[in-house]
């Protein structure tokens, strides 16, 4: 049998109890130095006399915790072969589909211990967030995310619409941030939910005309539909859609990789096939006012 491993606290208790045993210290004095009650030190002394050093050490030391997932090795093997680079939260969702149920925090600790994940530094907020609107459809943020979605060294655009009050999202892929894809996405939103009261856009010419007296195609269409266009003067102003871009760049890219999809048509099929619904189920929150602000078409 190997040597008994004792902590610093246990070694101190052993030394004090030995002094009690040799009549050099009383149990009351030992209790004070151990920061224990008299009853506690008495029980500990009796256990030490009966079991020796083993009576001072934690009973579960050296044993495997019953909380350890029995499929750890299989989970690590699957993660490294299929989901490497996935965050613990996203990886736990995919692992559940593969038949391995593991809490994302448990997976995070496991990956950290094996060196497959690094602690993420929490950044302090740049500025105080604007209070979200009260009603679904009161304001919809719209923006394009230009990114290498298919990981082929070529950028395309994910046109992203996010409701300000609920964070409900709708997205479509195209080759660029064009009037065509903006109109297609807006039309799809209107068919699903109705006409929103306002659109929150940046200053790209696809949304607003740079000329003082001019109008973009979107401005003309929104005027006819009674949709107010509100201009965002900085990326931080439309933070909800910017944060939603990051969600798609994490989750959608990995979905495309797993399914080996390399075309815009295939990407849109995945979006319509359930990923948007999944993101809405996971991240959508109830509006303060449950009555939708959308108007019927």
């Amino acid at each position: 049998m190997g040597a008994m491993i004792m902590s610093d606290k246990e070694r101190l208790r052993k030394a004090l109890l030995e002094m009690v045993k040799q009549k050099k210290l009383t149990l009351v004095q030992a209790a004070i130095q151990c920061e224990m009650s008299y009853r506690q030190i008495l029980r500990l002394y009796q256990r030490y006399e009966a079991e020796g050093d083993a009576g001072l050490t934690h009973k579960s030391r050296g044993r495997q915790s019953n909380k350890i997932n029995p499929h750890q090795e299989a989970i690590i093997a699957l993660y490294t072969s299929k989901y490497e680079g996935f965050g613990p939260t996203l990886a736990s969702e995919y692992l559940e589909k593969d038949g391995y149920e593991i809490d994302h925090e448990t997976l995070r600790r496991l990956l950290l211990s094996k060196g497959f994940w690094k602690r993420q530094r929490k950044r302090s907020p740049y500025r105080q967030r604007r209070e979200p609107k009260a009603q679904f459809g009161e304001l919809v943020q719209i923006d394009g995310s230009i990114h290498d979605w298919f990981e082929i060294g070529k950028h395309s655009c994910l046109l992203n619409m996010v409701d300000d009050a609920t964070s409900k999202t709708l997205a479509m892929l195209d080759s660029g941030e064009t009037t065509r894809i903006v109109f297609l996405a807006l039309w799809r939103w209107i068919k699903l939910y109705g006409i929103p009261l306002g659109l929150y856009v940046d200053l790209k010419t696809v949304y607003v005309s740079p000329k003082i007296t001019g109008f973009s195609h979107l401005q003309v269409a929104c005027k006819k539909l009674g949709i107010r266009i509100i201009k965002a003067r900085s990326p931080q102003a439309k933070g909800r859609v910017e944060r939603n871009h990051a969600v798609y760049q994490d989750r959608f890219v990995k979905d495309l990789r797993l399914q080996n999809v390399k075309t815009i048509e295939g990407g849109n099929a995945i979006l319509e096939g359930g990923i948007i619904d999944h993101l809405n189920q996971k991240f959508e929150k109830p509006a303060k006012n449950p009555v939708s602000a959308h108007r019927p078409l």
Side-chain angles (χ1 to χ4, degrees), residues 23-174:
K23 309 294 185 184
K24 295 179 180 179
L25 204 66
T26 67
L27 276 175
V28 173
Q29 292 170 324
I32 293 170
Q33 292 197 42
C34 290
E35 297 181 346
M36 299 171 74
S37 70
Y38 180 78
R39 281 187 171 185
Q40 287 174 319
I41 199 71
L42 178 60
R43 284 197 298 268
L44 188 65
Y45 181 64
Q46 290 170 343
R47 202 161 58 237
Y48 178 60
E49 282 194 310
E51 303 175 28
D53 290 357
L56 300 178
T57 58
H58 199 285
K59 298 303 179 185
S60 62
R61 183 166 299 158
R63 298 180 184 176
Q64 188 180 59
S65 171
N66 57 9
K67 293 183 179 180
I68 292 178
N69 193 299
H71 307 294
Q72 271 192 10
E73 296 303 321
I75 287 170
I76 288 294
L78 188 57
Y79 179 85
T80 53
S81 64
K82 192 175 180 182
Y83 303 124
E84 189 170 5
F86 283 39
T89 301
L90 182 58
S92 67
E93 292 177 20
Y94 279 102
L95 286 165
E96 188 173 349
K97 294 178 183 177
D98 291 322
Y100 296 103
E101 189 172 342
I102 182 169
D103 180 74
H104 65 278
E105 281 301 326
T106 304
L107 180 61
R108 190 189 311 277
R109 289 192 294 271
L110 177 60
L111 295 176
L112 281 168
S113 69
K114 300 291 184 181
F116 295 121
W117 186 251
K118 292 182 179 179
R119 296 186 186 278
Q120 305 297 304
R121 182 169 68 89
K122 290 186 178 179
R123 299 178 183 271
S124 57
Y126 175 73
R127 61 179 72 185
Q128 188 175 4
R129 291 185 182 179
R130 173 179 56 79
E131 185 74 16
K133 297 297 183 182
Q135 288 177 277
F136 175 44
E138 190 175 346
L139 183 68
V140 177
Q141 299 188 18
I142 183 168
D143 189 41
S145 175
I146 308 300
H147 187 69
D148 184 9
W149 293 100
F150 304 107
E151 300 176 305
I152 56 174
K154 182 180 178 182
H155 286 67
S156 47
C157 173
L158 182 107
L159 202 285
N160 192 3
M161 299 181 69
V162 181
D163 178 63
D164 195 81
T166 64
S167 295
K168 184 186 284 288
T169 182
L170 183 149
M172 295 181 73
L173 273 173
D174 205 357

Side-chain angles (χ1 to χ4, degrees), residues 154-223:
K154 182 180 178 182
H155 286 67
S156 47
C157 173
L158 182 107
L159 202 285
N160 192 3
M161 299 181 69
V162 181
D163 178 63
D164 195 81
T166 64
S167 295
K168 184 186 284 288
T169 182
L170 183 149
M172 295 181 73
L173 273 173
D174 205 357
S175 56
E177 196 170 359
T178 63
T179 299
R180 173 184 176 275
I181 190 62
V182 171
F183 273 23
L184 284 173
L186 178 58
W187 177 238
R188 188 173 165 206
W189 184 281
I190 290 171
K191 285 200 295 182
L192 285 170
Y193 309 117
I195 302 171
L197 293 185
L199 287 182
Y200 205 36
V201 302
D202 59 24
L203 302 182
K204 297 189 188 83
T205 54
V206 69
Y207 302 117
V208 294
S209 172
K211 298 177 182 178
I212 296 174
T213 57
F215 296 95
S216 69
H217 292 298
L218 180 66
Q219 285 174 299
V220 173
C222 285
K223 187 176 181 181

Side-chain angles (χ1 to χ4, degrees), residues 16 103 210 278 292:
L16 291 170
D103 180 74
H278 176 71
S292 174

